[in-house]
């Protein structure tokens, strides 16, 4: 079902001429004038009422705000005519400020609220941000400020924040509860589930024979990552050993790339790089797009729409090869950042014993503090749902 949001302003426009001769007076159109940016719209959605036959029901490009002229062909009494009309594409969505209501700073350490908070917009790649009020990061105390973000269409969002400047920050003492792989199997086993882990160089040497004996049937392996400083792609130092040993143990395998791609061009390059590194190796599970740099979202100078285009480009490029693409993300970001408009497979990260995420997903990363024979330290445990 197409989701199209219209403003209520509609005008009645009568055709008075065609490219060859005047159209009979009884021919009429009623058009929608205003459309939301990024709406999924066909020509027929914009014509509320008419007594003619459209020759082609074209899709309307709504990715750029402003006035847009739409020209189309129609047929009346077996004769063809042309017609055009204008629509106004508008952005009515407020920017987002995704953060808590307070921030604690260590004295003499300033903080760039505009670039360090999760701030962005659906359309504007770099919305204006300002701090209303003041604080002194060199003086102990609690300060009240506001963060104001305005996009190029004038939509604005404001967040009240308390800034606490302290002389000591006590590290959090909270620890994740250890989760045994066997307990996960016992609690979640069904005809529709299988169980596995995901690994990278953090797990170092893994004994996959023991992993399989513990009940795992698959492993997701980090193939590579994008360096945070150089921005170059690098192969995970344990990738080759992991994929070889997992296959030798009879486990199903898939791979993921940890990437900070900030353009469609870069996303395609990253996907092609992954395909090249794989070198036609057989995979049982998807190639996963893993983008997690949300805390510095504004620094990437991309909109939410562009972020989703980046993911779509990566996954589509993978799908056009011999592999299947997949999107990885946490529940929070799946609900607030990703639209997954092409309905790609999703790998959900939600660290809980029972997820309340109501979107579609085929794999669930349910803890990062798992324990399984064959891995010396903590490891992510995943549940795969059979198609």
């Amino acid at each position: 079902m197409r989701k199209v949001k219209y403003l209520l302003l509609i005008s009645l426009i009568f055709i008075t001429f065609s490219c060859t001769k005047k159209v009979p007076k009884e021919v009429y159109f009623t058009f929608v004038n205003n459309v939301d940016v990024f709406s999924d719209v066909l020509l027929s959605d914009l014509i509320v009422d008419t007594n003619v036959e459209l020759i082609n029901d074209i899709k309307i490009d709504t990715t750029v705000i402003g006035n847009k002229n739409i020209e189309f062909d129609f047929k009346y009494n077996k004769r063809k005519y042309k017609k055009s009309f204008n629509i106004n594409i508008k952005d009515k969505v407020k920017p987002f400020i995704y953060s808590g209501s307070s921030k604690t700073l260590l004295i003499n350490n300033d903080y760039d609220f505009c670039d360090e908070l999760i701030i962005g917009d659906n359309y504007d790649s770099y919305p204006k941000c300002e701090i209303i009020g003041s604080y002194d990061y060199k003086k102990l105390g609690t300060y009240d400020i506001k963060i104001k973000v305005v996009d190029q269409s004038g939509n604005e969002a404001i967040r009240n924040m308390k800034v606490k400047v302290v002389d000591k920050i006590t590290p959090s003492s909270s620890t994740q509860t250890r989760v045994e792989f066997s307990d996960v199997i016992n609690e979640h086993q069904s005809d529709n589930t299988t169980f596995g882990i995901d690994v990278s160089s953090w797990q170092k040497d893994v004994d996959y024979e023991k992993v399989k004996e513990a009940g795992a049937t698959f492993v997701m392996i980090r193939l590579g990552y994008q360096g945070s400083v150089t921005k170059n792609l690098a192969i995970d130092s344990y990738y080759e050993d992991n994929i070889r040993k997992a296959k030798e143990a009879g486990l199903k395998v898939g791979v993921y790339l940890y990437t900070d791609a900030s353009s469609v061009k870069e996303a395609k390059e990253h996907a092609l790089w992954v395909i090249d590194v794989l070198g036609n190796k057989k995979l049982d599970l998807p190639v996963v797009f893993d983008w997690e740099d949300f805390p510095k979202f504004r620094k990437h100078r991309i909109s939410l729409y562009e972020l989703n285009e980046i993911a779509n480009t990566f996954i589509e490029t993978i799908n056009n090869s011999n592999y299947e693409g997949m999107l990885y993300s946490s529940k929070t970001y799946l609900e607030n950042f990703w639209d997954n408009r092409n309905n790609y497979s999703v790998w959900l990260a939600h660290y809980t014993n029972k997820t309340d995420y109501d979107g579609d997903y085929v794999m669930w990363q349910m803890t990062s503090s798992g324990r399984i024979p064959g891995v010396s330290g903590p490891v992510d445990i995943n549940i795969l749902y059979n198609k």
Side-chain angles (χ1 to χ4, degrees), residues 95-356:
F96 58 85
I97 306 171
Y98 195 80
S99 66
S101 59
S102 66
K103 178 65 182 178
T104 301
L105 304 180
L106 187 62
I107 192 168
N108 295 322
N109 287 267
D110 201 3
Y111 184 81
D112 188 340
F113 283 90
C114 286
D115 277 346
E116 298 299 332
L117 294 178
I118 305 177
I119 289 173
D121 186 62
N122 68 316
Y123 182 85
D124 194 341
S125 60
Y126 199 70
K128 294 179 181 179
C129 173
E130 65 174 306
I131 298 175
I132 301 174
S134 62
Y135 65 95
D136 187 348
Y137 67 92
K138 296 181 180 180
K139 183 178 179 180
L140 299 176
T142 300
Y143 306 86
D144 291 315
I145 65 171
K146 293 182 179 181
I147 310 297
K148 180 180 178 181
V149 182
V150 183
D151 67 20
Q152 66 187 73
S153 297
N155 303 304
E156 68 176 44
I158 296 178
R159 173 64 59 86
N160 295 319
M161 293 195 71
K162 285 190 177 296
V163 180
K164 300 177 182 178
V165 180
V166 300
D167 57 4
K168 183 179 181 181
I169 296 179
T170 304
S172 173
S173 60
S174 62
T175 57
Q176 287 185 312
T177 303
R178 177 171 173 159
V179 179
E180 296 294 338
F181 192 82
S182 57
D183 292 338
V184 173
I185 293 178
N186 290 336
E187 184 163 354
H188 295 277
Q189 191 166 37
S190 72
D191 292 338
N192 190 42
T193 57
T194 54
F195 305 88
I197 60 175
D198 62 88
V199 299
S200 69
S201 58
W202 292 103
Q203 278 70 43
K204 298 184 178 180
D205 292 307
V206 176
D207 187 333
Y208 286 103
E209 294 292 344
K210 290 184 178 179
V211 168
K212 185 178 181 183
E213 289 173 4
T217 62
F218 70 90
V219 57
M220 300 298 295
I221 298 166
R222 186 172 76 166
L223 178 145
Y225 59 92
Q226 185 173 15
S228 59
V229 178
T230 65
K231 295 301 180 182
N232 294 327
L233 293 174
I235 298 174
D236 186 289
S237 58
Y238 279 78
Y239 159 70
E240 291 291 351
D241 280 348
N242 279 331
I243 197 166
R244 175 177 56 81
K245 291 178 180 179
K247 281 175 169 286
E248 288 174 352
L251 293 166
K252 294 181 178 180
V253 297
V255 300
Y256 68 94
L257 177 71
Y258 187 95
T259 171
D260 291 338
S262 57
S263 70
V264 166
K265 179 177 180 292
E266 190 177 19
K268 186 169 185 177
E269 290 171 352
H270 287 191
L272 292 173
W273 181 83
V274 169
I275 293 168
D276 183 63
V277 172
L278 283 169
N280 292 320
K281 284 188 178 72
K282 183 181 181 300
L283 297 180
D284 310 285
L285 298 171
V287 175
V288 182
F289 177 81
D290 179 10
W291 199 101
E292 301 182 37
D293 205 23
F294 294 101
K296 296 182 178 179
F297 184 82
R298 188 165 180 265
K299 286 186 175 181
H300 285 281
R301 293 179 179 262
I302 55 176
S303 66
L304 275 186
Y305 182 84
E306 290 168 324
L307 176 64
N308 280 274
E309 284 296 285
I310 288 167
N312 291 340
T313 297
F314 181 96
I315 296 172
E316 182 180 349
T317 303
I318 294 297
N319 286 345
N320 288 336
S321 67
N322 295 321
Y323 303 103
E324 176 190 356
M326 175 183 275
L327 172 66
Y328 167 90
S329 196
S330 71
K331 173 181 181 288
T332 295
Y333 296 117
L334 284 169
E335 291 174 337
N336 294 282
F337 285 76
W338 301 109
D339 63 27
N340 195 17
R341 65 183 72 103
N342 292 326
N343 295 316
Y344 295 129
S345 296
V346 169
W347 179 6
L348 164 69
H350 189 199
Y351 299 159
T352 178
N353 191 50
K354 185 177 181 180
T355 182
D356 58 357

